[in-house]
Amino acid sequence: MIEPAPPPLPARPDLRPGEDIAALLARTASANHTTVRELTGLQVHSRVWEEPPDDLLHRVAALTSTAVDELRPATLRGAYPGMAPERARTGRRYAGQPATCPQCQIATVAARLNIVVLCPNCGCFLHDAYFPHPSHPGPDIEAVHREMLATLCSAGESQRARDRLTRLESLMAGLEHALWTNWPPLLPGESTLWREAVVDFLRWGLQPGRVVARPPYISATTLALTWAASATQAAARDLADQIAIMGDPWLPAGDLVPRWPDAHTGCEAVLSLILDHGIHVGHIPTTMRRNHDPLVLPEAARTIRTAEAVALTTLVAQARNSDLSIRDIHTLHAATINPQVARLAEHITEDVDTYRRLAAHLAFLLEEGLPPLAQRREALRNVKMIPHGVIEKLPAAAANTPDAGRLAAAWVWLDATLGRPAGGPHAQMAPRLLLAFDHDMNPEGRLLLRDWWQHHLQLSATVAVDALPRLGRAHGERRVS
């Protein structure tokens, strides 16, 4: 039996241009001294208003005396049928933290999306209720915003538009980790103080464990900086590579590593270091970690550090007159090397600063005593669980962690191989779980697990012997002038 339509409410405000259906209901409820929940049984912030079922849409139409065809475009799915609401940077905002226009005061359906940063009615910057909008001059993004809205509206029918929005999401998310006050260059109209405010917010918002909705002024900046590159796959790839490099832009101090004049000189110097210290490819980890780096590298640094590990492995082979392809290094590391890492591993060798970083990485490995990392990887990659007798000796906070045996196995892999989770027994384990486990172990617990894996290596009968150093000796070592 079909439920009869409710009678219209006495007070029925008109739907404003671009207004969200939930905002119309909230105004209607207020005008009739009631609440949206009392009228519909739903909260005003419920996600159902993004794409309400037909029976709910007809009920709202009856209550407000508004045609269903007028209400449908007031829903997120009706207005933007091709958008992906689940995306973190371009998808839905947290409904309990709306972005509003300070001028026309209309809660638009477009403002439900993080990617929408200007009021579609009057063009004003949308403001966040919780984070103050900077008073400094911001970038001029009207043209970019207009193009973006056109792309968003056409995404329902255009695969090209959907592909661009996918690339945009990835670039905006990546840029947050690599945005600096002087990179990328300031946008037209953007002041230094505005950029500083954006960078400060992101440094705070990206801290581990912190989940926070991006205010419109943050999204406006990352949108404007990435929109042009999102137009094509090639341009997006180039910017993504730059972002990966700028996500970890450190350089060793001048008193630790010489300032070589060019990449060729730096390359020759690093090759000499390799030969002078007897370094072989089996000594190189699957990613490059520095002193005091966490057990799992921050997301922003992972790509470039893995590329540096690949580049250094290639250089070590080159020093010994052996050529290693990406496929060879993939086999040696037993860990995935994605296309971006492979690209960067080749590209960064054109920069003299890369060789200063590689020299610093070699110094770290020398401090560690040049451990046979390839052998350790072979011996430990199938250790999926640390024995219970070892786990129960760990500090209580670590020992009582759910799935402590598997976490300890993943920790042992990272501690022993100085690399990354890929290639290990639990490659997909969440970094936050590993970091929390490491925190709970304290120094005594770490020593206990370290003693365990060192003893395991001594007893293991399956330690792999790296054949590449023997190959290098068979062909003679490269002479460096």
Side-chain angles (χ1 to χ4, degrees), residues 44-116:
V44 70
H45 297 318
S46 172
R47 281 188 183 174
V48 73
W49 301 117
E50 293 180 359
E51 189 177 6
D54 283 346
D55 59 339
L56 180 57
L57 208 58
H58 282 84
R59 179 175 177 81
V60 175
L63 289 169
T64 62
S65 294
T66 306
V68 169
D69 288 344
E70 292 182 57
L71 287 175
R72 205 177 300 278
T75 69
L76 195 58
R77 185 59 65 189
Y80 306 108
M83 56 81 60
E86 69 279 1
R87 290 177 178 160
R89 300 297 174 266
T90 58
R92 68 168 67 88
R93 286 180 59 82
Y94 170 52
Q97 190 175 329
T100 56
C101 175
Q103 182 166 305
C104 67
Q105 299 292 318
I106 298 177
T108 60
V109 63
R112 279 183 175 267
L113 296 175
N114 280 308
I115 198 176
V116 176

Side-chain angles (χ1 to χ4, degrees), residues 174-184 199 203 241-253 259 288 290 293 297-305 308 348 351-354 356-358 360-361:
L175 183 61
E176 287 189 351
H177 296 272
L179 188 65
W180 301 92
T181 54
N182 60 350
W183 191 87
V199 170
R203 294 293 176 270
D241 288 352
Q242 294 177 50
I243 287 171
I245 292 170
M246 294 304 295
D248 184 42
W250 67 277
L251 281 175
R259 299 182 185 276
M288 305 310 301
R290 300 166 58 200
D293 271 340
L297 289 173
E299 182 179 354
R302 291 172 198 164
T303 298
I304 188 62
R305 296 289 192 87
E308 288 175 340
I348 60 176
D351 184 358
V352 63
D353 287 339
T354 294
R356 298 187 63 211
R357 288 165 59 115
L358 294 183
H361 290 317

Side-chain angles (χ1 to χ4, degrees), residues 81-347:
M83 56 81 60
E86 69 279 1
R87 290 177 178 160
R89 300 297 174 266
T90 58
R92 68 168 67 88
R93 286 180 59 82
Y94 170 52
Q97 190 175 329
T100 56
C101 175
Q103 182 166 305
C104 67
Q105 299 292 318
I106 298 177
T108 60
V109 63
R112 279 183 175 267
L113 296 175
N114 280 308
I115 198 176
V116 176
V117 297
L118 300 182
C119 175
N121 292 332
C122 67
C124 281
F125 252 114
L126 298 177
H127 285 200
D128 188 280
Y130 294 91
F131 298 106
H133 195 77
S135 58
H136 321 299
D140 179 6
I141 66 162
E142 289 184 14
V144 166
H145 200 261
R146 189 163 51 249
E147 287 183 26
M148 181 276 297
L149 283 177
T151 302
L152 194 60
C153 290
S154 66
E157 300 176 350
S158 170
Q159 182 63 49
R160 183 177 181 181
R162 291 194 293 274
D163 289 344
R164 183 169 193 176
L165 292 173
T166 299
R167 293 191 292 266
L168 181 66
E169 167 75 23
S170 177
L171 290 173
M172 288 177 67
L175 183 61
E176 287 189 351
H177 296 272
L179 188 65
W180 301 92
T181 54
N182 60 350
W183 191 87
L186 295 179
L187 294 158
E190 183 185 15
S191 66
T192 301
L193 293 175
W194 175 284
R195 177 64 67 86
E196 288 174 352
V198 172
V199 170
D200 287 346
F201 178 91
L202 290 173
R203 294 293 176 270
W204 171 80
L206 291 169
Q207 292 180 29
R210 181 164 287 157
V211 179
V212 59
R214 303 303 188 252
Y217 76 92
I218 300 293
S219 298
T221 306
T222 55
L223 166 64
L225 288 168
T226 57
W227 177 251
S230 71
T232 66
Q233 188 171 354
R237 181 193 62 202
D238 290 345
L239 180 56
D241 288 352
Q242 294 177 50
I243 287 171
I245 292 170
M246 294 304 295
D248 184 42
W250 67 277
L251 281 175
D255 59 337
L256 297 178
V257 176
R259 299 182 185 276
W260 297 302
D262 52 51
H264 175 74
T265 306
C267 179
E268 293 294 311
V270 171
L271 289 170
S272 293
L273 283 173
I274 290 167
L275 293 177
D276 291 345
H277 294 284
I279 298 170
H280 298 282
V281 291
H283 295 133
I284 309 303
T286 57
T287 196
M288 305 310 301
R289 299 214 307 254
R290 300 166 58 200
N291 284 322
H292 311 301
D293 271 340
L295 191 69
V296 182
L297 289 173
E299 182 179 354
R302 291 172 198 164
T303 298
I304 188 62
R305 296 289 192 87
T306 304
E308 288 175 340
V310 172
L312 187 54
T313 304
T314 302
L315 280 175
V316 172
Q318 180 184 340
R320 302 183 177 283
N321 287 342
S322 179
D323 292 326
L324 288 181
S325 67
I326 290 297
R327 184 183 295 273
D328 294 330
I329 297 172
H330 171 93
T331 301
L332 176 69
H333 288 181
T336 301
I337 298 173
N338 65 39
Q340 184 182 28
V341 168
R343 255 191 338 267
L344 285 171
E346 181 177 357
H347 173 71

